[in-house]
Every structure is written in C-alpha cells, then in structure tokens.
Amino acid sequence: QVQLVESGGGLVQAGGSLRLSCAASGSIFSGRAVAWYRQAPGKQREFVASITSGGTTYYADSVKGRFTISRDNAKNTVYLQMNSLKPEDTAVYYCNTPPLFRSWGQGTQVTVSS
C-alpha cells in the first residue's frame, strides 16, 4: 500500500522558518502533481500549495510570498519551505497527489508561537 510520510514540523517562533518534507513509497509522484494541505484545530483541511509534474506551482493566498513548494524527482520527495511563519500557520500539514488522492499520512505538526 502506498504511504505518504510527512516530516519536518516543529515548534517555532513567529517569523521563523521550517522546511517540511513529503516522501512516498514507490514512485507515485512520477508524472503527478503533489500538494500540501493543512488542518488547524476545529477547522477543515485546506489547500496550501501544489506543484505539477512540470514544476508549475500554485499557492493559497494566505501563504503566497512566504512558502515555497519544490520537488526532487530523483528522491521522490516534495518540500515545503515555510518562511515568515505566523501563529495562524499552526496546523497539521499533509501532502497528497490530487486529483487522485491517496490515503492520508500522519501529517506533521507545525506550531508557531507568538
């Protein structure tokens, strides 16, 4: 069964940075878009950023200019560089492969203190 594994989360002060990684078993990222999502306590999961197989990127307005998504096809890994973090970025972050969604991974917790 394909597994998505997110890592790199942690506790950081407002204004700080974190780099998240999303790794997958097998080569499921090959030729596919990969996206990051997040879910804050009491809220629905929301789109954060995506990257197509060709490298085109899309961002939610709330993170545009602060977050950067990238991919390393050789390592079958997608990254999310998060800069200028805000308390409202606090959430569990997940990755997946829209529009063909896989089983969600455990996610990685990001906590931004004010």
Side-chain angles (χ1 to χ4, degrees):
Q1 183 177 353
V2 172
Q3 283 189 314
L4 297 168
V5 181
E6 302 91 351
S7 63
L11 173 63
V12 64
Q13 289 188 330
S17 299
L18 284 172
R19 187 195 195 202
L20 307 184
S21 298
C22 168
S25 58
S27 301
I28 64 165
F29 289 166
S30 178
R32 294 192 180 278
V34 182
W36 283 95
Y37 301 83
R38 66 187 182 187
Q39 187 167 20
K43 295 188 176 181
Q44 289 189 332
R45 190 171 294 168
E46 64 176 3
F47 169 80
V48 175
S50 65
I51 184 166
T52 68
S53 58
T56 301
T57 57
Y58 301 91
Y59 297 94
D61 288 344
S62 59
V63 307
K64 204 170 291 183
R66 300 187 297 122
F67 290 11
T68 302
I69 188 171
S70 61
R71 63 192 297 162
D72 185 333
N73 291 328
K75 294 183 178 180
N76 210 32
T77 301
V78 173
Y79 304 97
L80 185 68
Q81 178 67 44
M82 306 188 297
N83 298 328
S84 302
L85 282 161
K86 304 176 181 180
E88 51 263 45
D89 295 318
T90 295
V92 179
Y93 285 70
Y94 303 87
C95 61
N96 217 308
T97 57
L100 178 63
F101 284 89
R102 312 284 178 171
S103 297
W104 293 95
Q106 298 277 357
T108 186
Q109 175 71 48
V110 172
T111 303
V112 184
S113 63
S114 57

